[in-house]
Amino acid sequence: MATKPLTGTKVFLMLVAFFGLVIGVNVTMMKLAIATLPGTDVDSPYAAGLTYDREISAAQDQAARKWQVSAHIERRADGAATLQVDARDAKGQPMSGLKFGGRLERPTDKRADLQVTLSEAGIGIYRGNATSVAPGQWDLVIEGEARGTRVFMSRNRVILN
């Protein structure tokens, strides 16, 4: 049986095909990685650094108030979730007239974050709904405002089934 000789042209074409395949796979993987990477945690680390002292001061002010704020979130089978916040002052009295808002943040993908608008459902009870909440790990962020100033902020990791 006669075999074809290995020529320089064949070797050259095999090398081009091999490296073309490797480069093609690398480019594809790079595009997929860039498309799925959510990016940095903050848009400007410099600006976040400048606000650090204000955040520490706000946390100290919040701790001094000794408010008792509890949250309960429940995900239903249809994917909707209900968030309820119970806000009480240092004496245990319900607090009315605050503006609370909530966010469900995915720890791994900022693009999946969901806003939850809360309205006062009773004295000191704030309630809101979110639709299309996927099961899994979320960071529940609750912020309370009084007269346009943030007076409360909480961040907790929750697992929704």
Side-chain angles (χ1 to χ4, degrees):
M1 175 173 207
T3 61
K4 294 185 178 182
L6 186 62
T7 63
T9 305
K10 270 189 182 177
V11 171
F12 175 73
L13 291 176
M14 288 175 13
L15 280 173
V16 167
F18 172 76
F19 284 109
L21 179 68
V22 169
I23 291 170
V25 169
N26 284 341
V27 167
T28 302
M29 296 300 281
M30 182 178 64
K31 285 186 177 186
L32 290 173
I34 290 171
T36 59
L37 182 66
T40 59
D41 198 27
V42 293
D43 292 332
S44 171
Y46 176 72
L50 293 178
T51 62
Y52 185 69
D53 287 336
R54 281 184 274 168
E55 290 295 322
I56 290 174
S57 177
Q60 290 170 342
D61 291 344
Q62 177 177 322
R65 285 192 221 42
K66 297 181 181 176
W67 286 358
Q68 303 159 19
V69 178
S70 62
H72 177 75
I73 186 163
E74 188 173 320
R75 182 180 178 276
R76 295 187 299 271
D78 64 357
T82 302
L83 172 61
Q84 180 172 313
V85 174
D86 185 12
R88 299 183 176 273
D89 64 14
K91 296 176 185 172
Q93 298 299 314
M95 294 188 302
S96 183
L98 298 172
K99 182 181 177 187
F100 274 96
R103 268 190 328 276
L104 285 168
E105 298 178 348
R106 272 290 198 201
T108 57
D109 189 356
K110 289 180 76 80
R111 296 171 296 180
D113 294 356
L114 300 169
Q115 286 290 121
V116 182
T117 304
L118 300 173
S119 57
E120 195 163 0
I123 300 173
I125 297 174
Y126 302 84
R127 194 175 290 136
N129 294 308
T131 57
S132 302
V133 178
Q137 265 191 33
W138 293 88
D139 286 336
L140 175 60
V141 180
I142 300 169
E143 293 183 344
E145 289 184 7
R147 297 179 296 282
T149 303
R150 188 180 85 192
V151 292
F152 180 83
M153 201 276 243
S154 166
R155 177 183 300 269
N156 295 291
R157 180 76 40 103
V158 295
I159 298 175
L160 301 176
N161 294 322

